[in-house]
Amino acid sequence: MKKGLILCILIFITGCNNKINQVETIMEQNLNSNICINYPITNISKLDILIEKTVSNIHKDFKKNTSSTLNNKSELNIDYSYYEINNYTMITLTSYINDTINTKNFIETFLYDSNQNKLLDINDVIDTSNTKYFSFDENYFYLYNNINNEIETKKYEISDLNLKIDISNNEIKKIENKTETKTKILDPNGKFIALTFDDGPSIYTNKIIELLKEYDINATFFILGNKVEIYKDILKKSIEYGNELGNHSYNHKWLIKLDDESIKEQVNKTQEVIKNTLGYTPTLFRPTYGSLNEKVKKDTNLKIVLWNVDTLDWKYKNVNSIVERATKKLKDGNIILMHETYKRSYEALKKIIPIIKEKGFTFVTISELEEINKLRAYEK
Ligand code: ZN
């Protein structure tokens, strides 16, 4: 009796600790390639070491094999999914390489058992299988074959299989409450600037929104769908503070290279996760790498928002040069592009806000800026 009770408490405690608390993002753009890598940090060292090593190997291989033909830019995209059930934490990494001749897809799953503090492979999960790649969710178990750069998927009902681990779900999903956003009164006779941040949320988001709050200003954040769940508390706070969220695709694939169906999936999956997790529906969309074509325009019914002041904070590591680019030639109605995935961007923002305020501009979100433009058009 006593033993059973102690065991239950231990499971409960370890179960609570296994959450992702951070997503690592690597973004690189140059003449030869667009690279976007997102992977989770779980604070389970066995899992984190393996994931980091796997990601780093794919990244290195891609760089080694990318040929430099200027008009044929290649793309590497690494994304993840996270699933936690009972004492198991599962991370699935998917990598996608588009070298303009071929697309290569690869999938690999890492499964950790917190009761045994060990990583499990396919043999720990199911008896007979001719592949080592698998994953599962609430209802289905998947087996993958990575053949000829494509992923062949076989799907089974969990209840039909004789699995060696217990992945049955007893939890009831909570329904999130809708968050009310506040409205402000804006005088169209002023001078306005919209700050926008791409590629988040990240470990710097909280600092950024707290800084904005100190100045009682708001910004627009074009976020990635695959990071919403992990940073949902910070995102909820951001919405409460009056910031605007826009859609920046699910995992930052280079959209102009995708077919219609995949573009729609990138946009709609992000809309869904934001709506289901935060009770918020974005109305704005910013295409990845700022690349637009007719397909992308047609496949999203959200308002497309680009920018006209580029801080190039992803490229320049010097805080002052970011500040200079953001503040030098500002005009009424400008939209400033920054990224919330770099510490230097946050450091620059601390200097940027007071300089812009000093110049007499009022900070607004993109939707507020549109509202002002409408009012002005009406008054003319
Ligand atoms: Zn981006």
Side-chain angles (χ1 to χ4, degrees), residues 273-289:
V273 71
I274 295 175
K275 201 179 165 202
N276 295 339
T277 315
L278 307 170
Y280 179 98
T281 307
T283 58
L284 310 172
F285 180 73
R286 178 168 280 167
T288 53
Y289 305 101

Side-chain angles (χ1 to χ4, degrees), residues 27 29 36 198-200 222 224 248-249 252 286-290 337 339:
M27 286 279 196
Q29 287 174 65
C36 173
D198 285 10
D199 300 350
F222 291 94
L224 297 177
H248 191 43
S249 85
H252 214 278
R286 178 168 280 167
T288 53
Y289 305 101
L337 168 65
H339 293 82

Side-chain angles (χ1 to χ4, degrees), residues 190-244:
K191 291 200 294 178
F192 298 95
I193 288 293
L195 280 171
T196 65
F197 297 89
D198 285 10
D199 300 350
S202 80
I203 47 167
Y204 305 113
T205 306
N206 193 48
K207 282 184 160 185
I208 293 171
I209 62 169
E210 289 299 338
L211 179 67
L212 296 173
K213 191 169 187 268
E214 264 175 50
Y215 283 97
D216 194 25
I217 61 176
N218 291 126
T220 305
F221 296 81
F222 291 94
I223 62 174
L224 297 177
N226 66 358
K227 296 183 184 175
V228 169
E229 293 256 9
I230 297 134
Y231 293 102
K232 66 177 175 192
D233 294 336
I234 291 167
L235 289 171
K236 276 182 193 164
K237 190 164 81 171
S238 184
I239 298 164
E240 273 165 34
Y241 284 3
N243 296 305
E244 179 163 33

